[in-house]
Amino acid sequence: MPEQTRLTPLAVMILATLRESDMHPYELMRLLKERRDDRLVPLQKGTIYHTVARLERDGLLAEVGVDRDGNRPERTTYTLLDAGRHAVEEWIRVELPQIDRQSDFRVALSEAHNLERDDVVGLLDQRRALLVESVDAHRASLAWAADNAIPEQFLVEMQRQAALLDAEVAWQDGLRARLADRSLPWGVAEIPEHLTKKNRVSKETTP
């Protein structure tokens, strides 16, 4: 991957979805929408086709065939290259520990299953340390405000953020525990067969 290339969240999701099977852009868009990934990034036809073209230019995916269904336009099918797989993993490793880029973190979390279980645990531990630092900073600020008789009406946003941070730490601790004790199935190999793209398509095409 060229050094100057920076993957967008949509690009990450496209590449990660291609790990399951080769697909054409329309199929990618349909599958992402079925999984409600439009909660995380806008899924517009033009943007998806443009992103796929850029990823092909950057050597992260490649054409593997063209097919036609009846009178519909030809559809080009793409496959994920090793460079694309590595790019997704690298992006997740950078974004998953972060606490200051919430939109990117949500995408990294949704695609974290592309990393090994133990790697995700380690990255979440890094993120927890940052969360705890932020919790401590908010508590210290609130304590200072109380000592200095700052009117509470000026502090409601800080109080809210402190509460959200506490909840975030508690939620993440629960996720980490389930990953560590292996009670949470993890990785592409552990996706139930009826939810895989290959199985879904075969059912759709069965008479």
Side-chain angles (χ1 to χ4, degrees):
M1 181 176 63
E3 185 176 350
Q4 70 273 16
T5 298
R6 165 66 181 171
L7 292 182
T8 63
L10 176 59
V12 171
M13 297 178 78
I14 288 173
L15 292 172
T17 304
L18 284 174
R19 287 191 64 175
E20 299 177 34
S21 179
D22 300 342
M23 301 183 212
H24 51 72
Y26 177 80
E27 192 174 13
L28 277 165
M29 180 173 66
R30 183 177 62 180
L31 184 56
L32 289 170
K33 285 187 175 181
E34 284 180 3
R35 295 174 176 176
R36 295 302 309 279
D37 287 328
D38 51 351
R39 297 175 302 107
L40 306 175
V41 296
L43 296 176
Q44 299 175 346
K45 181 178 178 181
T47 305
I48 288 178
Y49 276 81
H50 173 78
T51 301
V52 167
R54 181 172 63 84
L55 292 171
E56 181 184 18
R57 184 189 68 229
D58 291 341
L60 303 182
L61 51 77
E63 294 184 15
V64 290
V66 178
D67 60 64
R68 181 188 293 273
D69 184 6
N71 294 326
R72 294 178 179 176
E74 290 184 345
R75 291 176 174 172
T76 303
T77 301
Y78 294 88
T79 192
L80 180 66
L81 300 178
D82 286 342
R85 186 185 308 271
H86 295 322
V88 168
E89 293 174 356
E90 179 183 353
W91 191 92
I92 296 171
R93 291 181 190 280
V94 170
E95 297 301 335
L96 192 60
Q98 305 301 322
I99 66 171
D100 58 351
R101 296 191 290 272
Q102 281 298 310
S103 59
D104 286 356
F105 167 73
R106 292 179 67 197
V107 173
L109 184 63
S110 74
E111 300 297 349
H113 59 269
N114 289 282
L115 300 183
E116 296 294 329
R117 180 187 301 269
D118 291 343
D119 291 341
V120 174
V121 169
L123 293 168
L124 290 177
D125 286 346
Q126 294 177 35
R127 185 172 189 268
R128 190 184 195 281
L130 296 175
L131 285 171
V132 170
E133 286 183 10
S134 188
V135 168
D136 291 343
H138 278 76
R139 287 175 177 167
S141 295
L142 289 170
W144 177 91
D147 291 342
N148 288 272
I150 303 298
E152 188 175 2
Q153 62 183 303
F154 298 130
L155 305 175
V156 291
E157 191 283 327
M158 187 177 295
Q159 292 170 341
R160 173 185 179 274
Q161 186 61 23
L164 291 176
L165 287 167
D166 284 337
E168 183 81 0
V169 171
W171 168 82
Q172 184 170 297
D173 285 349
L175 173 62
R176 186 201 186 283
R178 295 182 64 206
L179 285 168
D181 67 15
R182 311 188 78 81
S183 62
L184 175 63
W186 197 253
V188 175
E190 297 192 42
I191 298 176
E193 183 178 357
H194 71 282
L195 295 179
T196 62
K197 180 263 175 185
K198 180 178 179 181
N199 184 266
R200 180 179 59 81
V201 171
S202 66
K203 288 184 177 180
E204 288 178 354
T205 57
T206 299

PDB file of all heavy atoms in Angstrom, residues 92-115:
ATOM      1  N   ILE A  92      -7.044  -1.113  12.084  1.00  0.00           N
ATOM      2  CA  ILE A  92      -7.712  -1.472  13.333  1.00  0.00           C
ATOM      3  C   ILE A  92      -6.758  -1.332  14.516  1.00  0.00           C
ATOM      4  O   ILE A  92      -7.135  -0.827  15.586  1.00  0.00           O
ATOM      5  CB  ILE A  92      -8.273  -2.907  13.261  1.00  0.00           C
ATOM      6  CG1 ILE A  92      -9.359  -3.000  12.187  1.00  0.00           C
ATOM      7  CG2 ILE A  92      -8.837  -3.338  14.614  1.00  0.00           C
ATOM      8  CD1 ILE A  92      -9.811  -4.425  11.892  1.00  0.00           C
ATOM      9  N   ARG A  93      -5.517  -1.757  14.331  1.00  0.00           N
ATOM     10  CA  ARG A  93      -4.538  -1.658  15.424  1.00  0.00           C
ATOM     11  C   ARG A  93      -4.296  -0.207  15.832  1.00  0.00           C
ATOM     12  O   ARG A  93      -4.051   0.079  17.006  1.00  0.00           O
ATOM     13  CB  ARG A  93      -3.218  -2.297  15.000  1.00  0.00           C
ATOM     14  CG  ARG A  93      -3.272  -3.803  14.852  1.00  0.00           C
ATOM     15  CD  ARG A  93      -1.916  -4.363  14.444  1.00  0.00           C
ATOM     16  NE  ARG A  93      -2.026  -5.760  14.078  1.00  0.00           N
ATOM     17  CZ  ARG A  93      -2.071  -6.771  14.962  1.00  0.00           C
ATOM     18  NH1 ARG A  93      -2.003  -6.480  16.258  1.00  0.00           N
ATOM     19  NH2 ARG A  93      -2.186  -8.019  14.559  1.00  0.00           N
ATOM     20  N   VAL A  94      -4.380   0.695  14.878  1.00  0.00           N
ATOM     21  CA  VAL A  94      -4.180   2.114  15.190  1.00  0.00           C
ATOM     22  C   VAL A  94      -5.406   2.706  15.876  1.00  0.00           C
ATOM     23  O   VAL A  94      -5.291   3.451  16.861  1.00  0.00           O
ATOM     24  CB  VAL A  94      -3.847   2.909  13.911  1.00  0.00           C
ATOM     25  CG1 VAL A  94      -3.891   4.411  14.177  1.00  0.00           C
ATOM     26  CG2 VAL A  94      -2.474   2.507  13.379  1.00  0.00           C
ATOM     27  N   GLU A  95      -6.593   2.386  15.384  1.00  0.00           N
ATOM     28  CA  GLU A  95      -7.806   3.066  15.832  1.00  0.00           C
ATOM     29  C   GLU A  95      -8.459   2.435  17.057  1.00  0.00           C
ATOM     30  O   GLU A  95      -9.115   3.136  17.833  1.00  0.00           O
ATOM     31  CB  GLU A  95      -8.824   3.134  14.687  1.00  0.00           C
ATOM     32  CG  GLU A  95      -8.361   3.930  13.484  1.00  0.00           C
ATOM     33  CD  GLU A  95      -8.028   5.382  13.823  1.00  0.00           C
ATOM     34  OE1 GLU A  95      -8.576   5.922  14.814  1.00  0.00           O
ATOM     35  OE2 GLU A  95      -7.212   5.976  13.103  1.00  0.00           O
ATOM     36  N   LEU A  96      -8.307   1.137  17.259  1.00  0.00           N
ATOM     37  CA  LEU A  96      -9.025   0.490  18.352  1.00  0.00           C
ATOM     38  C   LEU A  96      -8.614   1.011  19.733  1.00  0.00           C
ATOM     39  O   LEU A  96      -9.478   1.128  20.619  1.00  0.00           O
ATOM     40  CB  LEU A  96      -8.836  -1.033  18.286  1.00  0.00           C
ATOM     41  CG  LEU A  96      -9.749  -1.852  19.194  1.00  0.00           C
ATOM     42  CD1 LEU A  96     -11.216  -1.611  18.870  1.00  0.00           C
ATOM     43  CD2 LEU A  96      -9.421  -3.342  19.070  1.00  0.00           C
ATOM     44  N   PRO A  97      -7.360   1.366  19.979  1.00  0.00           N
ATOM     45  CA  PRO A  97      -7.004   1.857  21.320  1.00  0.00           C
ATOM     46  C   PRO A  97      -7.378   3.319  21.564  1.00  0.00           C
ATOM     47  O   PRO A  97      -7.231   3.796  22.694  1.00  0.00           O
ATOM     48  CB  PRO A  97      -5.470   1.689  21.369  1.00  0.00           C
ATOM     49  CG  PRO A  97      -5.089   0.899  20.171  1.00  0.00           C
ATOM     50  CD  PRO A  97      -6.160   1.133  19.163  1.00  0.00           C
ATOM     51  N   GLN A  98      -7.834   4.028  20.545  1.00  0.00           N
ATOM     52  CA  GLN A  98      -8.036   5.476  20.674  1.00  0.00           C
ATOM     53  C   GLN A  98      -9.328   5.809  21.420  1.00  0.00           C
ATOM     54  O   GLN A  98     -10.296   5.051  21.378  1.00  0.00           O
ATOM     55  CB  GLN A  98      -8.068   6.129  19.294  1.00  0.00           C
ATOM     56  CG  GLN A  98      -6.846   5.851  18.435  1.00  0.00           C
ATOM     57  CD  GLN A  98      -5.561   6.321  19.082  1.00  0.00           C
ATOM     58  OE1 GLN A  98      -5.527   7.370  19.733  1.00  0.00           O
ATOM     59  NE2 GLN A  98      -4.502   5.552  18.914  1.00  0.00           N
ATOM     60  N   ILE A  99      -9.347   6.973  22.074  1.00  0.00           N
ATOM     61  CA  ILE A  99     -10.568   7.427  22.742  1.00  0.00           C
ATOM     62  C   ILE A  99     -11.033   8.785  22.214  1.00  0.00           C
ATOM     63  O   ILE A  99     -12.071   9.284  22.648  1.00  0.00           O
ATOM     64  CB  ILE A  99     -10.376   7.514  24.267  1.00  0.00           C
ATOM     65  CG1 ILE A  99      -9.363   8.603  24.636  1.00  0.00           C
ATOM     66  CG2 ILE A  99      -9.973   6.163  24.841  1.00  0.00           C
ATOM     67  CD1 ILE A  99      -9.294   8.880  26.127  1.00  0.00           C
ATOM     68  N   ASP A 100     -10.282   9.382  21.307  1.00  0.00           N
ATOM     69  CA  ASP A 100     -10.621  10.740  20.846  1.00  0.00           C
ATOM     70  C   ASP A 100     -11.143  10.786  19.419  1.00  0.00           C
ATOM     71  O   ASP A 100     -11.356  11.860  18.875  1.00  0.00           O
ATOM     72  CB  ASP A 100      -9.397  11.665  20.976  1.00  0.00           C
ATOM     73  CG  ASP A 100      -8.201  11.148  20.197  1.00  0.00           C
ATOM     74  OD1 ASP A 100      -8.252  10.000  19.706  1.00  0.00           O
ATOM     75  OD2 ASP A 100      -7.201  11.883  20.091  1.00  0.00           O
ATOM     76  N   ARG A 101     -11.352   9.628  18.783  1.00  0.00           N
ATOM     77  CA  ARG A 101     -11.925   9.588  17.438  1.00  0.00           C
ATOM     78  C   ARG A 101     -13.048   8.552  17.455  1.00  0.00           C
ATOM     79  O   ARG A 101     -12.884   7.428  16.984  1.00  0.00           O
ATOM     80  CB  ARG A 101     -10.860   9.238  16.393  1.00  0.00           C
ATOM     81  CG  ARG A 101      -9.761  10.275  16.258  1.00  0.00           C
ATOM     82  CD  ARG A 101      -8.883  10.024  15.039  1.00  0.00           C
ATOM     83  NE  ARG A 101      -8.043   8.850  15.181  1.00  0.00           N
ATOM     84  CZ  ARG A 101      -6.823   8.856  15.729  1.00  0.00           C
ATOM     85  NH1 ARG A 101      -6.324   9.980  16.207  1.00  0.00           N
ATOM     86  NH2 ARG A 101      -6.106   7.750  15.803  1.00  0.00           N
ATOM     87  N   GLN A 102     -14.183   8.951  17.994  1.00  0.00           N
ATOM     88  CA  GLN A 102     -15.253   8.001  18.266  1.00  0.00           C
ATOM     89  C   GLN A 102     -15.787   7.324  17.012  1.00  0.00           C
ATOM     90  O   GLN A 102     -16.091   6.129  17.024  1.00  0.00           O
ATOM     91  CB  GLN A 102     -16.387   8.704  19.017  1.00  0.00           C
ATOM     92  CG  GLN A 102     -16.113   8.899  20.494  1.00  0.00           C
ATOM     93  CD  GLN A 102     -15.935   7.586  21.231  1.00  0.00           C
ATOM     94  OE1 GLN A 102     -16.753   6.680  21.119  1.00  0.00           O
ATOM     95  NE2 GLN A 102     -14.861   7.477  21.994  1.00  0.00           N
ATOM     96  N   SER A 103     -15.922   8.069  15.919  1.00  0.00           N
ATOM     97  CA  SER A 103     -16.475   7.455  14.707  1.00  0.00           C
ATOM     98  C   SER A 103     -15.540   6.382  14.168  1.00  0.00           C
ATOM     99  O   SER A 103     -15.985   5.298  13.766  1.00  0.00           O
ATOM    100  CB  SER A 103     -16.750   8.519  13.644  1.00  0.00           C
ATOM    101  OG  SER A 103     -15.554   9.215  13.305  1.00  0.00           O
ATOM    102  N   ASP A 104     -14.232   6.648  14.173  1.00  0.00           N
ATOM    103  CA  ASP A 104     -13.267   5.648  13.710  1.00  0.00           C
ATOM    104  C   ASP A 104     -13.198   4.473  14.686  1.00  0.00           C
ATOM    105  O   ASP A 104     -13.051   3.314  14.270  1.00  0.00           O
ATOM    106  CB  ASP A 104     -11.885   6.270  13.558  1.00  0.00           C
ATOM    107  CG  ASP A 104     -11.787   7.179  12.333  1.00  0.00           C
ATOM    108  OD1 ASP A 104     -12.769   7.259  11.581  1.00  0.00           O
ATOM    109  OD2 ASP A 104     -10.734   7.810  12.148  1.00  0.00           O
ATOM    110  N   PHE A 105     -13.297   4.762  15.984  1.00  0.00           N
ATOM    111  CA  PHE A 105     -13.267   3.678  16.964  1.00  0.00           C
ATOM    112  C   PHE A 105     -14.434   2.723  16.754  1.00  0.00           C
ATOM    113  O   PHE A 105     -14.283   1.497  16.839  1.00  0.00           O
ATOM    114  CB  PHE A 105     -13.313   4.237  18.387  1.00  0.00           C
ATOM    115  CG  PHE A 105     -13.597   3.170  19.413  1.00  0.00           C
ATOM    116  CD1 PHE A 105     -12.618   2.239  19.755  1.00  0.00           C
ATOM    117  CD2 PHE A 105     -14.852   3.066  19.999  1.00  0.00           C
ATOM    118  CE1 PHE A 105     -12.895   1.228  20.681  1.00  0.00           C
ATOM    119  CE2 PHE A 105     -15.124   2.067  20.927  1.00  0.00           C
ATOM    120  CZ  PHE A 105     -14.137   1.141  21.265  1.00  0.00           C
ATOM    121  N   ARG A 106     -15.617   3.260  16.470  1.00  0.00           N
ATOM    122  CA  ARG A 106     -16.787   2.399  16.280  1.00  0.00           C
ATOM    123  C   ARG A 106     -16.586   1.452  15.093  1.00  0.00           C
ATOM    124  O   ARG A 106     -16.957   0.272  15.153  1.00  0.00           O
ATOM    125  CB  ARG A 106     -18.040   3.245  16.073  1.00  0.00           C
ATOM    126  CG  ARG A 106     -18.470   4.012  17.313  1.00  0.00           C
ATOM    127  CD  ARG A 106     -19.707   4.855  17.019  1.00  0.00           C
ATOM    128  NE  ARG A 106     -20.869   4.012  16.766  1.00  0.00           N
ATOM    129  CZ  ARG A 106     -21.973   4.443  16.174  1.00  0.00           C
ATOM    130  NH1 ARG A 106     -22.049   5.692  15.726  1.00  0.00           N
ATOM    131  NH2 ARG A 106     -23.003   3.635  15.989  1.00  0.00           N
ATOM    132  N   VAL A 107     -15.987   1.952  14.018  1.00  0.00           N
ATOM    133  CA  VAL A 107     -15.705   1.093  12.869  1.00  0.00           C
ATOM    134  C   VAL A 107     -14.632   0.072  13.241  1.00  0.00           C
ATOM    135  O   VAL A 107     -14.746  -1.113  12.904  1.00  0.00           O
ATOM    136  CB  VAL A 107     -15.273   1.935  11.657  1.00  0.00           C
ATOM    137  CG1 VAL A 107     -14.811   1.037  10.517  1.00  0.00           C
ATOM    138  CG2 VAL A 107     -16.418   2.827  11.196  1.00  0.00           C
ATOM    139  N   ALA A 108     -13.590   0.513  13.941  1.00  0.00           N
ATOM    140  CA  ALA A 108     -12.531  -0.413  14.363  1.00  0.00           C
ATOM    141  C   ALA A 108     -13.099  -1.509  15.252  1.00  0.00           C
ATOM    142  O   ALA A 108     -12.737  -2.689  15.122  1.00  0.00           O
ATOM    143  CB  ALA A 108     -11.426   0.349  15.093  1.00  0.00           C
ATOM    144  N   LEU A 109     -14.003  -1.151  16.138  1.00  0.00           N
ATOM    145  CA  LEU A 109     -14.617  -2.138  17.016  1.00  0.00           C
ATOM    146  C   LEU A 109     -15.472  -3.112  16.215  1.00  0.00           C
ATOM    147  O   LEU A 109     -15.453  -4.328  16.466  1.00  0.00           O
ATOM    148  CB  LEU A 109     -15.463  -1.430  18.074  1.00  0.00           C
ATOM    149  CG  LEU A 109     -16.106  -2.317  19.139  1.00  0.00           C
ATOM    150  CD1 LEU A 109     -15.041  -3.017  19.976  1.00  0.00           C
ATOM    151  CD2 LEU A 109     -17.021  -1.481  20.024  1.00  0.00           C
ATOM    152  N   SER A 110     -16.212  -2.594  15.236  1.00  0.00           N
ATOM    153  CA  SER A 110     -17.072  -3.466  14.433  1.00  0.00           C
ATOM    154  C   SER A 110     -16.259  -4.439  13.581  1.00  0.00           C
ATOM    155  O   SER A 110     -16.758  -5.497  13.205  1.00  0.00           O
ATOM    156  CB  SER A 110     -17.991  -2.629  13.539  1.00  0.00           C
ATOM    157  OG  SER A 110     -17.283  -2.055  12.463  1.00  0.00           O
ATOM    158  N   GLU A 111     -15.007  -4.078  13.285  1.00  0.00           N
ATOM    159  CA  GLU A 111     -14.152  -4.937  12.466  1.00  0.00           C
ATOM    160  C   GLU A 111     -13.030  -5.587  13.276  1.00  0.00           C
ATOM    161  O   GLU A 111     -12.137  -6.216  12.709  1.00  0.00           O
ATOM    162  CB  GLU A 111     -13.542  -4.127  11.316  1.00  0.00           C
ATOM    163  CG  GLU A 111     -14.551  -3.504  10.371  1.00  0.00           C
ATOM    164  CD  GLU A 111     -15.398  -4.534   9.636  1.00  0.00           C
ATOM    165  OE1 GLU A 111     -15.069  -5.741   9.693  1.00  0.00           O
ATOM    166  OE2 GLU A 111     -16.395  -4.144   9.004  1.00  0.00           O
ATOM    167  N   ALA A 112     -13.095  -5.462  14.597  1.00  0.00           N
ATOM    168  CA  ALA A 112     -12.023  -6.002  15.435  1.00  0.00           C
ATOM    169  C   ALA A 112     -11.893  -7.515  15.319  1.00  0.00           C
ATOM    170  O   ALA A 112     -10.825  -8.082  15.579  1.00  0.00           O
ATOM    171  CB  ALA A 112     -12.256  -5.613  16.899  1.00  0.00           C
ATOM    172  N   HIS A 113     -12.972  -8.189  14.892  1.00  0.00           N
ATOM    173  CA  HIS A 113     -12.915  -9.644  14.743  1.00  0.00           C
ATOM    174  C   HIS A 113     -11.947 -10.080  13.643  1.00  0.00           C
ATOM    175  O   HIS A 113     -11.678 -11.276  13.502  1.00  0.00           O
ATOM    176  CB  HIS A 113     -14.313 -10.197  14.453  1.00  0.00           C
ATOM    177  CG  HIS A 113     -14.928  -9.620  13.221  1.00  0.00           C
ATOM    178  ND1 HIS A 113     -15.713  -8.485  13.249  1.00  0.00           N
ATOM    179  CD2 HIS A 113     -14.856  -9.983  11.922  1.00  0.00           C
ATOM    180  CE1 HIS A 113     -16.113  -8.205  12.023  1.00  0.00           C
ATOM    181  NE2 HIS A 113     -15.601  -9.088  11.201  1.00  0.00           N
ATOM    182  N   ASN A 114     -11.432  -9.124  12.879  1.00  0.00           N
ATOM    183  CA  ASN A 114     -10.417  -9.447  11.874  1.00  0.00           C
ATOM    184  C   ASN A 114      -9.043  -9.649  12.500  1.00  0.00           C
ATOM    185  O   ASN A 114      -8.108 -10.084  11.807  1.00  0.00           O
ATOM    186  CB  ASN A 114     -10.340  -8.335  10.826  1.00  0.00           C
ATOM    187  CG  ASN A 114     -11.558  -8.312   9.923  1.00  0.00           C
ATOM    188  OD1 ASN A 114     -11.684  -9.106   9.011  1.00  0.00           O
ATOM    189  ND2 ASN A 114     -12.486  -7.403  10.211  1.00  0.00           N
ATOM    190  N   LEU A 115      -8.888  -9.320  13.776  1.00  0.00           N
ATOM    191  CA  LEU A 115      -7.642  -9.544  14.504  1.00  0.00           C
ATOM    192  C   LEU A 115      -7.791 -10.753  15.411  1.00  0.00           C
ATOM    193  O   LEU A 115      -8.893 -11.164  15.761  1.00  0.00           O
ATOM    194  CB  LEU A 115      -7.290  -8.319  15.358  1.00  0.00           C
ATOM    195  CG  LEU A 115      -7.075  -6.993  14.636  1.00  0.00           C
ATOM    196  CD1 LEU A 115      -6.658  -5.930  15.656  1.00  0.00           C
ATOM    197  CD2 LEU A 115      -6.029  -7.110  13.541  1.00  0.00           C
TER     198      LEU A 115
END
